[in-house]
Amino acid sequence: MTRVAVLGSLAAATIAVPLANGAQGGDGSPFELDTQPTGPSTLALLKAGVDTPRTSAAIAAAPRDVRVEAGAASRTAERSPLPGCDADAPIEGGNGTLADHSLCDVWQPGERLRADAAVALSALNEGFKARFGRDLCLVDSYRTLDSQYAVKASRGYLAAVPGASMHGWGLAIDLCSEEYTSSEVYGWLWENGAAYGWENPPWAQRGGSGNYEPWHFEYRPGVEEVSYWH
């Protein structure tokens, strides 16, 4: 089963019946999100060989028209969430020096990711757009080695050592402030991102081993290929 098929199923589940209210809601700060994300990761779904993620209680309880949902799922399964990008493209090159064929442009001009991470994020973005009526806003994604040196020079200890950043592997994004300062938006991402493989890593959370960076998300299946999840 290809990664595109799995991601298509995930997008269909989110778009058909989006989790409209989010886990947090209200006026609480997104920086108070200390619970662990729920739902299976993309890697777990691929290993299990299932067609769709486990149905959550919220989705199971929601009224729906089965005929409409089945049609939407069928149409989504027939297309990639990021047309023209092959999620199974060979990964060649190193940190900050990935080959062009290993990278794909996403919806926001100038932003690129490793092909499989780009397809997964685009599937998540389809669900996000169905919920909020717009695309997810990004500040940063893939960084070449030269750009990593430039970021390190400007941000000092806040930036990873050049050649060690997950941005250099095309496996990380930084969100715009409008996303991580909204409890409604950030709660939705926290609740749904893990099902697509995109999570705020433990080191970047409050009390983690690194700088507190709620805006930083990584594609966990890819991170576990090149390093380890921490």
Side-chain angles (χ1 to χ4, degrees):
M1 184 176 185
T2 66
R3 280 176 280 195
V4 171
V6 172
L7 294 168
S9 297
L10 287 168
T14 303
I15 293 173
V17 188
L19 299 179
N21 295 323
Q24 304 303 316
D27 299 320
S29 168
F31 304 110
E32 296 174 359
L33 298 176
D34 292 325
T35 58
Q36 291 297 317
T38 59
S41 68
T42 303
L43 182 62
L45 290 172
L46 289 171
K47 288 182 176 180
V50 297
D51 294 327
T52 58
R54 185 174 57 189
T55 303
S56 70
I59 291 177
R64 56 188 176 178
D65 186 329
V66 175
R67 292 170 300 175
V68 173
E69 182 177 338
S74 175
R75 288 192 299 274
T76 303
E78 292 172 358
R79 64 179 176 81
S80 166
L82 188 59
C85 180
D86 179 10
D88 298 310
I91 302 166
E92 297 179 359
N95 189 302
T97 60
L98 289 176
D100 284 341
H101 63 255
S102 299
L103 295 163
C104 288
D105 295 327
V106 295
W107 60 90
Q108 190 166 306
E111 303 301 340
R112 297 189 296 168
L113 290 168
R114 203 177 83 172
D116 54 343
V119 171
L121 186 66
S122 295
L124 173 61
N125 185 57
E126 287 192 353
F128 182 89
K129 188 156 50 175
R131 170 65 181 86
F132 296 102
R134 63 177 178 81
D135 289 317
L136 186 65
C137 180
L138 308 179
V139 169
D140 206 359
S141 51
Y142 172 66
R143 292 177 188 163
T144 64
L145 195 55
D146 286 343
S147 66
Q148 290 181 59
Y149 276 106
V151 169
K152 185 65 175 177
S154 64
R155 299 183 187 176
Y157 74 93
L158 292 175
V161 175
S165 171
M166 285 301 154
H167 285 283
W169 287 113
L171 299 171
I173 58 170
D174 288 341
L175 301 173
C176 298
S177 61
E178 65 193 83
E179 314 298 21
Y180 67 85
T181 58
S182 165
S183 60
E184 181 182 17
V185 171
Y186 200 73
W188 188 94
L189 289 170
W190 188 274
E191 178 71 20
N192 293 279
Y196 298 86
W198 283 94
E199 303 178 46
N200 179 232
W203 66 260
Q205 297 172 25
R206 177 178 284 118
S209 60
N211 298 318
Y212 178 50
E213 299 183 9
W215 56 83
H216 182 86
F217 276 61
E218 295 179 354
Y219 183 55
R220 183 171 181 170
V223 171
E224 291 178 335
E225 288 179 12
V226 301
S227 181
Y228 63 98
W229 189 250
H230 68 287

